[in-house]
Amino acid sequence: DTEVTQTPKHLVMGMTNKKSLKCEQHMGHRAMYWYKQKAKKPPELMFVYSYEKLSINESVPSRFSPECPNSSLLNLHLHALQPEDSALYLCASSHGQGAQDTQYFGPGTRLTVL
Amino acid sequence: GENVEQHPSTLSVQEGDSAVIKCTYSDSASNYFPWYKQELGKRPQLIIDIRSNVGEKKDQRIAVTLNKTAKHFSLHITETQPEDSAVYFCALRGGGGNKLTFGTGTQLKVEL
């Protein structure tokens, strides 16, 4: 398996809802990432997990809560989001070491907050 | 943090022509420079990458050049085809950690 998968593909939620995004990879990668991407903008890093430990939090609001249950799975728990949080949420993974640590992206979850 | 400038923001070429996109950076410790292609509604896909100890790398119609002294790297696409139309992002990784910093993107349109 050489792909990063994400579910769901689309998600519509209200500002009081709680939902979760899921990411999975079976490439043996030990680093996993969450990015947020607005239309016509580059991906913006949110979190990095390295060997299942949170290594980077780019000052993301606490309404976004990441979780890495094991080396293949990465979740992003959402609570009390704002309409401006509507975006494409991309997961990525990489080997986690080495000078050429290529990141491979999943297809993303298109999130709309009403 | 690291800053990456990418130019041009939009590029329109005729089918068969070449396209060049350039990125400049400031951190001399940057050691890895990937390029991603993102079609509308799709994921960013790695198309080519280069390490800091290499000056040029080529893969069929795509090439990347790196000038460490001047701190810029460029994507070259030859014999462009309509399916090359997409947004292209340069990126780089600094001296430590696995964080990528992305350029602002270039919308490439290949016209028939």
Side-chain angles (χ1 to χ4, degrees):
Chain A
D1 191 342
T2 58
E3 271 207 337
V4 178
T5 60
Q6 288 185 245
T7 55
K9 289 185 180 179
H10 301 275
L11 178 62
V12 179
M13 60 187 291
M15 289 189 284
T16 58
N17 292 158
K18 283 185 182 181
K19 297 286 184 183
S20 296
L21 309 184
K22 182 176 176 180
C23 174
E24 195 165 358
Q25 58 85 17
H26 296 286
M27 295 181 278
H29 288 172
R30 302 311 299 271
M32 295 186 78
Y33 311 77
W34 280 116
Y35 287 88
K36 173 183 177 180
Q37 187 178 29
K38 290 280 205 178
K40 299 184 188 295
K41 297 289 187 184
E44 181 184 334
L45 184 66
M46 300 174 72
F47 303 103
V48 181
Y49 273 83
S50 180
Y51 291 81
E52 297 151 58
K53 286 185 168 42
L54 184 64
S55 61
I56 296 177
N57 176 343
E58 291 286 284
S59 302
V60 179
S62 59
R63 58 184 184 269
F64 295 92
S65 175
E67 179 197 18
C68 189
N70 60 56
S71 60
S72 300
L73 284 175
L74 185 66
N75 298 321
L76 186 63
H77 304 297
L78 314 173
H79 174 54
L81 295 194
Q82 304 296 310
E84 58 264 31
D85 296 322
S86 298
L88 180 67
Y89 287 83
L90 292 161
C91 173
S93 72
S94 70
H95 282 291
Q97 58 186 336
Q100 193 161 337
D101 191 31
T102 302
Q103 290 187 24
Y104 297 94
F105 284 86
T109 293
R110 177 76 57 189
L111 174 67
T112 302
V113 182
L114 301 176
Chain B
E2 173 62 90
N3 185 43
V4 183
E5 290 190 11
Q6 182 171 346
H7 298 282
S9 57
T10 60
L11 180 58
S12 186
V13 299
Q14 295 293 312
E15 184 180 10
D17 287 350
S18 295
V20 181
I21 303 169
K22 183 177 177 179
C23 288
T24 59
Y25 62 98
S26 56
D27 184 1
S28 57
S30 300
N31 58 16
Y32 174 59
F33 307 87
W35 284 89
Y36 287 88
K37 174 185 179 182
Q38 189 173 26
E39 296 176 71
L40 190 62
K42 301 259 179 93
R43 75 185 79 192
Q45 286 204 298
L46 180 77
I47 54 171
I48 197 166
D49 56 11
I50 194 167
R51 292 173 59 179
S52 58
N53 59 349
V54 177
E56 183 174 359
K57 184 176 177 181
K58 191 173 181 181
D59 182 4
Q60 299 182 349
R61 297 187 296 109
I62 294 172
V64 55
T65 57
L66 172 64
N67 184 325
K68 284 178 60 180
T69 304
K71 297 196 187 75
H72 63 73
F73 58 112
S74 298
L75 177 71
H76 305 255
I77 306 175
T78 58
E79 300 172 34
T80 53
Q81 300 167 3
E83 51 265 38
D84 294 329
S85 297
V87 178
Y88 291 80
F89 292 102
C90 66
L92 59 81
R93 189 178 64 224
N98 37 20
K99 176 181 175 179
L100 282 182
T101 300
F102 284 84
T104 48
T106 296
Q107 175 75 62
L108 173 65
K109 185 177 180 182
V110 180
E111 297 175 330
L112 295 170

